[in-house]
Amino acid sequence: MIDGPLLVFGGPYGNLQATRVLLAEADGLGIPASLLPGVNVEALPKFPGKPGSMTPKQWYLLPAGELEPHHGKKLKFPLVIRAFNVK
């Protein structure tokens, strides 16, 4: 369980302007820069394939090139999905 603010971002490291904005936002939220190295999304469970098979409040990784079920499209980038209403 996370106690406090959480800042989720998509890795702006190749973009200096985006990195500066990210660091300013983190500072405004009181998140120290030492906590910003990132999250290993590869460690998340892989998306099970259909919304009805997801566990509520669980985060899943949808790898690049797999079908995103909500929009019905294959994305060129990985996506992190959180299950809310799995009915």
Side-chain angles (χ1 to χ4, degrees):
M1 182 63 77
I2 297 172
D3 184 23
L6 175 66
L7 179 62
V8 179
F9 58 94
Y13 304 113
N15 180 329
L16 181 58
Q17 182 180 6
T19 300
R20 287 180 176 156
V21 170
L22 170 70
L23 292 172
E25 186 67 23
D27 186 56
L29 291 170
I31 300 172
S34 62
L35 296 179
L36 292 179
V39 174
N40 179 7
V41 296
E42 297 292 331
L44 292 173
K46 208 172 186 184
F47 174 66
K50 57 183 179 176
S53 61
M54 298 170 75
T55 302
K57 299 184 181 179
Q58 172 66 53
W59 290 93
Y60 294 94
L61 172 65
L62 180 70
E66 292 198 18
L67 184 68
E68 191 277 319
H70 183 72
H71 296 99
K73 296 181 179 181
K74 290 186 178 185
L75 304 175
K76 296 179 181 179
F77 49 86
L79 187 65
V80 175
I81 300 172
R82 185 169 187 209
F84 284 98
N85 181 359
V86 295
K87 293 180 182 179

